[in-house]
Structure formats: structure tokens, C-alpha cells
Amino acid sequence: PAATTIMDMSVQGLFVLLLISSWLWTGYEVHAYSSGAPAFQCGPMTPSHPQAPGLGDGPYEVTTTVPGTYMAGQTYSVTVGSTDNTTQLQGLLCQVRDASVARGVIARAEGDFMPSSLLFRNLDCRAENGATSAMSAITHTTQINSNTVSFDWTAPAVRGAASLHVVCTVVQGYLTAHYLHIPSTSFNAPVVGVTVVGVTVVG
């Protein structure tokens, strides 16, 4: 009977330990989604998740309404979504960077993102990658749980890189997959000194 009692206590202790571990892990997972990307990820745009990143763009794409050449100070729409219109995304970090820089290489973020809802917030990357403003990056505030999201980006008033594109790291799930530096189609900066529709581009 004494041995049985000890065994029962051991089983109960193991059950409690597993329960606490499960609670801690779940809390960590939710916390990872809820706050969005931290500032120290502004450069690498690589989440600290347990699994390795997926290959290429995965089931996602990044599209914009930016024409071949953007207008300084003009606002455009950016959409991040699944190519199959089914796969959901739970988190993201997006910036507009120099399109001539190789994928995954750190580059300055340009322009301003405008969060479209309380699901998103700006991330100040000025100290991390020389971003042009405190609004040059956008991330989530809670689990998105949608197959497509959109928000606005305003082109910089002062010309930076000659060619830009939107770059997004997308999290499908904390314990499933994430995909790094998914690019949109690139677009060009206006030529310095040229006036377009009453706006003169300065260098």
C-alpha cells in the first residue's frame, strides 16, 4: 500500500508538471503572437520561432497598387494574402526596402505604413536599420487569422533608393511555419528634380 501511495503521488506530480508546462507553453505562444515583431527584428525580419523558415514565399504573396514609378507623398494599398485564398496568416512584419539588395540582406525601410485596424501597429526601426521614419514598418498586434490583409503605405517625400519593393515576413503559425522576406513587384522612385502633377521630387 505504501508503494502504491508513492506511485500515485508520482503520477499526480507528473500530471501537474505536464499541466503547468502546457500552460506555460501556450502562454508563450500567445504572447509571441499578441505583441507583434519586436524592434530588434527590424533588420533581419526573422522571428525567433522553434521551426526553420519555410522555403521561398510559401503559400503567400505581397501585392501593391503602386505603379511602375511611385509619386512622392502618394498613398498606395498593400495586400498580403495566400495564393490559394484559403491558407491563413497569423502574424507579419512588412517594410519597403531597396529592391536592388539581395533577399534577406538588411536595408533601410522607406515611407510610412498606416495601420488599417487595431490588428496592426507601426514598428519604429530607425535605430535598427536607419528607417526614414517611425512608421516605416508594420506588424500585427494579435493573431490575424485571415487569408488576406491590407493596409496603406505612403511613398517617401524625399527620394531614397532608385527602386523599391515591399518585403514581408509572414507567420502561418508559431508552431507550423513562417516565410521570410516575401517581395512584391518592384517599383521605381521618381527622377530627382522632375515635377509630376505639381510635386517636385527632391533628392
Side-chain angles (χ1 to χ4, degrees), residues 16 32 44 57 61 66-67 99 101 120 123 129 135 140 164 175-176 194:
V16 171
D57 299 347
E61 63 180 355
V66 186
V101 175
F120 306 102
L123 185 63
N129 69 3
M135 300 171 64
H140 58 283
L164 299 172
L175 297 177
T176 52
V194 173

Side-chain angles (χ1 to χ4, degrees), residues 52-58 177-180:
L55 298 177
D57 299 347
H178 61 270
Y179 299 89
L180 305 177

Side-chain angles (χ1 to χ4, degrees), residues 35-109:
S35 60
F40 67 81
Q41 292 294 356
C42 285
M45 298 181 68
T46 305
S48 301
H49 290 183
Q51 78 286 350
L55 298 177
D57 299 347
Y60 301 106
E61 63 180 355
V62 180
T63 59
T64 78
T65 59
V66 186
T69 299
Y70 70 76
M71 285 181 56
Q74 181 67 43
T75 297
Y76 303 97
S77 178
V78 175
T79 299
V80 183
S82 60
T83 54
D84 59 9
N85 295 317
T86 301
T87 305
Q88 293 193 339
L89 60 115
Q90 300 217 343
L92 55 74
L93 171 60
C94 294
Q95 300 176 22
V96 174
R97 291 181 166 186
D98 186 343
S100 68
V101 175
R103 184 167 180 162
V105 176
I106 296 174
R108 181 178 70 172

